[in-house]
Amino acid sequence: MYTSLLNVKQAISVEQKLIDYLRTYIDHEQERLQDIKANPLVAFTLIKRLHSEWLNVVYSNEALENAQLRSSYEEEEPELPKLEDLQGAAKGLMRLQDVYALQVSSLARGRFQRVADGEAVDVYMPAVSIPLSGDDCFLVGKVAYEQEDYYHSVQWLEESVRLFRGTRGEWSPENEGTLEDALDHLAFSHFKTGNVSHALSLSQELLHYPMNGRVLQNVEKYEKLLVAAGPPRGDGLRRPTSTYLRTRETYERLCQTQGSQPMHFKNPRLFCDYFTNDNPALLLMPVRREVLSLQPFAVLYHDFITDVEVEDVKSLAQPGLRRSVVAAGEKQATADYRISKAWLKGSSLSIVGKLDQRISMLTGLDVKHPYGEYLQVVNYGIGGHYEPHFDHATQSPSSPVFKLKTGNRVATFMIYLSPVEAGGSTAFIYANFSVPVQKAAIFWWNLHRNGEGNIDTLHAGCPVLIGDKWANKWIHEFGQEFLRRCSLNPEE
């Protein structure tokens, strides 16, 4: 090659092809890493590693002589996840399990599957499957056990025992639990669910470990109970009760269908169009509007926000994200089931101001503060969701909703900031439809024209399986007096 410049030029061409191949590989790897970052199983195992596994390794007998490792760990410790983070992540996995009817055995393999017609069906297929260890499953089961939630503890601890047995009970310095621990917790969980015979067999297995007086007492107790009660009744596992038990079945069904309600959309009065709202600024670039429901009136505006605007909003919100609070009567309480949020203010020339202007053009309402609340950006954590709720205040006039002194929330404008690959639909419980996350914004009226709340707007945010979610703009009554006139007709 060195004897011919033509050959050197050909070599340059070959190198260019190799660089192109490398770029393609990097692009694919970046896509794979994005999938990993958004995967709740990856997030859970990361939190667990940072909270307990590193702690167990650093302070293990094997690491006693490594003073540098311990010193470095203690320096970073304030930034590491706390016990509350770990427990919250475990509860998030159990929430995903319940809402999407996921099998614990599939989650342990790094898959998101549920059983349909006797077969395992993928709810979501991650690009990379991250399996859970016996210790991972033990921790989730233990969190449920400590809450006296034996429905979940039995399922997760059974999987933990199976995985621990697969490793022949080998112990690792980073592990928090052992096969013995898992058997012990599982035996008592079975006893609490009425499965005394299974609790007895597991306790008898525990007797092979170094003698434990409590286990021996349990064996004797279970044997007496079986003699007194006769054959086991086999009542089976029952899910814990919920504050939202009355709406839970509908909520979970709507979350699982992820916006697929063919009967609902057969209504001939529902339609799609190019919408201008008679606004001159939209005449040359109308918005694609999809009418989702007439009661409550809800519409979807497709491609409401550009990718560049999404990144700008996320960048503005990132420094201010704080754990969410919810209205609790006249006060606010920290929410343990949600997410983090930030409130964004902005001038008319900023991205927030431009979005406000666009919302105003589409709705015909005055959305400037204080007639509209500041844009709320929401970031979902593991299994992050909203329980069924109304956006408008329904009880006390001292509700935080009235803090602006501009009346109740007359309307909601919700912007999806990123595509959610699985889960995350908005479910309208009483209206019986759900809206999957897509590159769009949803608008609906919370109040009738006479100022009464519309009960059909009861809605919930389904747990996000993969990805994060949205921004909210709540618009209040005051300022809209001549833009949306009141009516004495309770149906309007």
Side-chain angles (χ1 to χ4, degrees):
M1 184 178 289
Y2 69 88
T3 61
S4 167
L5 282 177
L6 181 61
N7 289 341
V8 172
K9 287 179 181 178
Q10 289 175 339
I12 292 171
S13 175
V14 169
E15 184 182 42
Q16 184 60 52
K17 287 181 181 178
L18 290 173
I19 289 171
D20 290 340
Y21 293 145
L22 182 59
R23 283 178 180 147
T24 302
Y25 169 77
I26 290 171
D27 288 342
H28 288 161
E29 283 299 288
Q30 285 178 336
E31 288 175 10
R32 187 177 71 89
L33 286 171
Q34 284 302 321
D35 180 81
I36 288 175
K37 287 176 189 174
N39 189 321
L41 296 175
V42 175
F44 168 75
T45 52
L46 174 64
I47 290 171
K48 177 174 173 282
R49 277 201 310 276
L50 292 175
H51 174 265
S52 55
E53 291 186 9
W54 274 104
L55 178 74
N56 294 337
V57 168
V58 169
Y59 292 99
S60 66
N61 291 333
E62 292 82 351
L64 279 177
E65 296 179 6
N66 195 333
Q68 178 62 42
L69 175 64
R70 184 170 298 188
S71 173
S72 300
Y73 175 83
E74 289 172 351
E75 188 177 324
E76 300 294 336
E77 197 168 11
E79 302 300 319
L80 298 178
K82 307 294 186 287
L83 178 61
E84 181 186 17
D85 298 310
L86 187 57
Q87 291 173 336
K91 291 174 188 175
L93 288 185
M94 289 185 271
R95 185 179 302 123
L96 292 173
Q97 171 198 344
D98 288 345
V99 173
Y100 297 107
L102 301 176
Q103 294 177 292
V104 173
S105 57
S106 76
L107 289 170
R109 295 194 308 274
R111 304 281 293 274
F112 299 88
Q113 295 179 318
R114 66 166 169 257
V115 174
D117 299 324
E119 293 186 5
V121 177
D122 284 304
V123 174
Y124 172 75
M125 178 75 79
V128 180
S129 296
I130 308 295
L132 301 178
S133 67
D135 193 56
D136 294 333
C137 293
F138 171 71
L139 192 143
V140 179
K142 186 182 175 189
V143 168
Y145 178 93
E146 288 171 348
Q147 290 187 301
E148 299 183 2
D149 172 8
Y150 303 111
Y151 169 83
H152 289 104
S153 70
V154 164
Q155 297 178 70
W156 284 93
L157 291 170
E158 280 185 343
E159 195 61 30
S160 173
V161 167
R162 186 186 70 79
L163 292 169
F164 272 133
R165 282 177 174 155
T167 61
R168 298 181 180 177
E170 283 183 22
W171 181 80
S172 300
E174 66 269 20
N175 281 359
E176 188 170 310
T178 61
L179 175 58
E180 183 181 358
D181 294 327
L183 287 168
D184 192 14
H185 284 76
L186 180 57
F188 189 73
S189 296
H190 273 303
F191 165 67
K192 293 297 288 186
T193 59
N195 195 341
V196 181
S197 59
H198 207 155
L200 175 60
S201 65
L202 291 169
S203 298
Q204 287 171 333
E205 182 179 346
L206 275 169
L207 291 176
H208 296 294
Y209 289 86
M211 184 52 71
N212 184 321
R214 178 178 54 78
V215 174
L216 189 57
Q217 288 175 353
N218 284 345
V219 168
E220 293 172 356
K221 175 183 176 181
Y222 299 154
E223 287 175 339
K224 288 178 182 176
L225 284 172
L226 284 174
V227 170
R233 288 173 297 182
D235 291 339
L237 296 176
R238 293 181 182 174
R239 275 180 67 180
T241 56
S242 161
T243 310
Y244 303 92
L245 192 59
R246 190 163 56 90
T247 58
R248 184 168 74 182
E249 186 178 332
T250 304
Y251 163 60
E252 292 180 357
R253 174 177 54 79
L254 290 171
C255 289
Q256 289 173 24
T257 59
Q258 299 192 57
S260 174
Q261 298 95 32
M263 296 304 292
H264 177 82
F265 291 106
K266 282 184 178 179
N267 186 340
R269 296 172 64 198
L270 303 179
F271 60 90
C272 299
D273 65 358
Y274 284 96
F275 183 66
T276 65
N277 200 25
D278 294 326
N279 189 299
L282 295 174
L283 287 177
L284 296 179
M285 193 178 288
V287 174
R288 291 190 299 140
R289 178 179 68 162
E290 179 181 347
V291 179
L292 301 170
S293 169
L294 298 176
Q295 182 55 31
F297 183 77
V299 297
L300 194 68
Y301 297 112
H302 291 268
D303 298 317
F304 172 80
I305 188 170
T306 68
D307 293 339
V308 173
E309 288 171 335
V310 164
E311 293 309 312
D312 287 345
V313 169
K314 286 183 176 179
S315 298
L316 283 172
Q318 184 63 42
L321 285 171
R322 296 287 183 273
R323 185 174 172 182
S324 184
V325 296
V326 290
E330 298 182 10
K331 300 180 181 178
Q332 291 185 323
T334 302
D336 65 349
Y337 57 78
R338 287 199 189 174
I339 24 97
S340 296
K341 67 182 182 183
W343 298 89
L344 298 187
K345 305 176 185 179
S347 66
S348 59
L349 298 177
S350 69
I351 176 60
V352 177
K354 289 176 182 176
L355 290 177
D356 277 351
Q357 186 180 27
R358 202 172 302 159
I359 293 169
S360 185
M361 287 192 295
L362 287 172
T363 62
L365 300 175
D366 187 344
V367 304
K368 293 192 183 102
H369 191 80
Y371 305 127
E373 296 179 34
Y374 293 123
L375 190 70
Q376 182 201 62
V377 179
V378 176
N379 180 251
Y380 271 48
I382 301 172
H385 75 306
Y386 278 94
E387 297 281 14
H389 67 285
F390 296 104
D391 281 353
H392 60 277
T394 57
Q395 297 175 350
S396 169
S398 302
S399 164
V401 169
F402 294 110
K403 192 164 69 171
L404 287 178
K405 302 187 186 303
T406 51
N408 212 339
R409 289 171 173 169
V410 68
T412 296
F413 199 96
M414 179 190 296
I415 307 166
Y416 290 131
L417 289 180
S418 58
V420 171
E421 294 181 58
S425 300
T426 302
F428 287 82
I429 311 300
Y430 295 151
N432 196 32
F433 73 95
S434 61
V435 187
V437 179
Q438 51 198 295
K439 193 179 176 184
I442 315 173
F443 171 78
W444 69 86
W445 296 108
N446 293 310
L447 306 180
H448 291 291
R449 284 185 178 270
N450 65 359
E452 293 294 319
N454 187 345
I455 63 168
D456 287 326
T457 62
L458 182 75
H459 63 286
C462 298
V464 174
L465 265 170
I466 303 291
D468 49 17
K469 228 176 168 189
W470 62 46
N472 292 314
K473 182 76 177 181
W474 286 302
I475 305 160
H476 284 241
E477 293 175 283
F478 294 8
Q480 324 305 337
E481 293 88 346
F482 300 103
L483 302 175
R484 189 195 191 226
R485 294 180 180 274
C486 59
S487 167
L488 296 178
N489 184 350
E491 299 301 318
E492 289 190 71

